[in-house]
Amino acid sequence: MTQLQARPAASNPGDDAQVPDEQLVVARKWHPWRWVISIATLVVVAQFLHGFATNPGWDWGTFAQYFTAQSVLSALWLTIQLTFWGTLIGFALGIALAVARLSNNLVLQVISWFYIWAFRSIPLIVQLLFWFNIAYLYQTLSVGIPFGPSFFEFDVNNVISGSTAAIVGLALHQAAYSAEIVRAGIISVDQGQLEASAALGIPKRREFFKIVLPQAMRGILPNAANEVISLFKGTSIVSVMAIAELFYQVQVIYGRSGRVVPLLMVATVWYIILTSILSVVQYYVERHYAKGAVRTIELTPVQKLRKKLAEITLAPRGATR
């Protein structure tokens, strides 16, 4: 809220009309409670940071020792692989499920709806344990004619390892959520766009990739990025399968050393770093697909910094202040 100060008293009745508006002084309203709350918040944050730096229980020496240890980095790489394959396969299958739900084929609609309903209803940990123990149900896998002779047979224990079971479980679970995200993005596109495309005789394939998809991506990307980040953190659940991903490896180390807090901080900081990287990628991808929706694209933080530096004018040599 701002308030305008009263105009200065005029000596003559007609002088007041001659004062330009640019000379009016704007007085800002004082908000004391805002300053009180801000100062109290800063004090609490300062106390937390002080304890964060000085409390010996954090044991930053142990944290530094294991943060870049080979066992931790190997586990981190496995976590990244699980996230990558779970995301790639999950979204590929999710796109197919979304297209099936939007198709005019009743069979495909029912199958895709049932898949999404089932995999969103079952907890992820149950799905992972099921695929990890799939050999109890099927000892061999065969490829051949349905209900007829088989051409090839595979031992399930040799084909589906612990990591493979984790990827399958994560991907199938992710596909159910990805399908709904993609479907919501597609149906958010204005139907007038499709009608105009049909009136112009644009083929369906070109219509989807050139008209529907670019507009749908603006609604798909934020939720899809959230799902990828959730999947990245959700890989810690595979620790119940004794797979040496990041969280499991940290548990093994602090189980031997007894240094629980610093080892948990190792995992926490790595999760924060990679989540921040994913957030930066999300920002630039969203910015790319916003080109057709906004008149002016917002500058990136780097561009804003360059602009600020360019606006700084240095005083000429020999000039005095």
Side-chain angles (χ1 to χ4, degrees):
M1 294 289 292
T2 57
Q3 293 178 340
L4 294 177
Q5 290 184 349
R7 296 175 184 265
S11 56
N12 298 321
D15 290 346
D16 184 63
Q18 299 176 358
V19 178
D21 293 338
E22 291 77 6
Q23 295 182 4
L24 296 176
V25 180
V26 179
R28 296 185 178 276
K29 187 176 181 180
W30 177 249
H31 298 279
W33 285 110
R34 292 184 184 179
W35 288 99
V36 171
I37 295 174
S38 300
I39 294 173
T41 303
L42 290 176
V43 170
V44 172
V45 172
Q47 288 179 327
F48 174 77
L49 294 177
H50 179 266
F52 201 65
T54 59
N55 191 331
W58 293 107
D59 195 356
W60 294 112
T62 302
F63 170 86
Q65 177 185 353
Y66 286 102
F67 184 70
T68 56
Q70 184 60 40
S71 59
V72 173
L73 294 180
S74 299
L76 178 65
W77 175 240
L78 179 57
T79 299
I80 295 174
Q81 288 179 303
L82 292 175
T83 305
F84 173 78
W85 289 112
T87 300
L88 182 64
I89 300 173
F91 272 90
L93 183 56
I95 293 172
L97 289 170
V99 173
R101 283 206 65 184
L102 294 173
S103 69
N104 296 324
N105 190 312
L106 182 60
V107 176
L108 294 179
Q109 290 181 9
V110 172
I111 292 175
S112 61
W113 180 90
F114 181 81
Y115 179 96
I116 295 170
W117 167 78
F119 279 86
R120 289 200 303 178
S121 302
I122 304 173
L124 176 57
I125 189 171
V126 176
Q127 298 180 39
L128 291 173
L129 292 176
F130 173 82
W131 290 108
F132 187 68
N133 297 282
I134 192 65
Y136 283 99
L137 295 176
Y138 305 100
Q139 286 73 36
T140 59
L141 292 175
S142 60
V143 178
I145 300 174
F147 307 105
S150 60
F151 304 136
F152 303 99
E153 288 190 356
F154 305 94
D155 186 359
V156 172
N157 287 322
N158 294 331
V159 175
I160 302 181
S161 61
S163 298
T164 305
I167 292 174
V168 170
L170 291 172
L172 295 180
H173 177 80
Q174 183 63 46
Y177 292 90
S178 303
E180 289 298 277
I181 292 173
V182 173
R183 186 178 70 88
I186 292 176
I187 64 178
S188 66
V189 177
D190 187 6
Q191 292 297 313
Q193 301 284 324
L194 305 181
E195 295 173 357
S197 174
L200 294 174
I202 299 176
K204 288 294 183 181
R205 180 184 178 85
R206 185 179 179 185
E207 172 190 291
F208 179 77
F209 286 101
K210 296 296 184 179
I211 299 176
V212 177
L213 187 60
Q215 297 181 67
M217 287 296 289
R218 297 186 63 248
I220 292 173
L221 279 174
N223 295 322
N226 287 337
E227 284 297 317
V228 174
I229 292 174
S230 297
L231 180 64
F232 169 65
K233 296 183 294 183
T235 55
S236 60
I237 300 179
V238 305
S239 61
V240 300
M241 304 161 62
I243 297 176
E245 49 80 42
L246 180 60
F247 184 66
Y248 179 84
Q249 189 62 39
V250 165
Q251 287 180 303
V252 171
I253 296 174
Y254 73 62
R256 295 197 305 259
S257 64
R259 309 303 298 173
V260 178
V261 173
L263 268 302
L264 288 178
M265 286 301 300
V266 169
T268 300
V269 172
W270 275 121
Y271 282 126
I272 291 174
I273 291 174
L274 293 182
T275 300
S276 301
I277 294 174
L278 290 174
S279 299
V280 171
V281 173
Q282 173 191 355
Y283 169 78
Y284 281 98
V285 175
E286 288 184 359
R287 186 173 181 272
H288 171 75
Y289 281 100
K291 292 180 179 179
V294 295
R295 295 182 180 274
T296 304
I297 301 296
E298 182 183 1
L299 297 178
T300 65
V302 176
Q303 291 174 337
K304 291 179 180 179
L305 178 60
R306 290 177 179 176
K307 183 178 179 181
K308 290 293 184 182
L309 293 177
E311 292 175 352
I312 298 177
T313 55
L314 299 178
R317 183 177 298 178
T320 58
R321 296 183 179 179

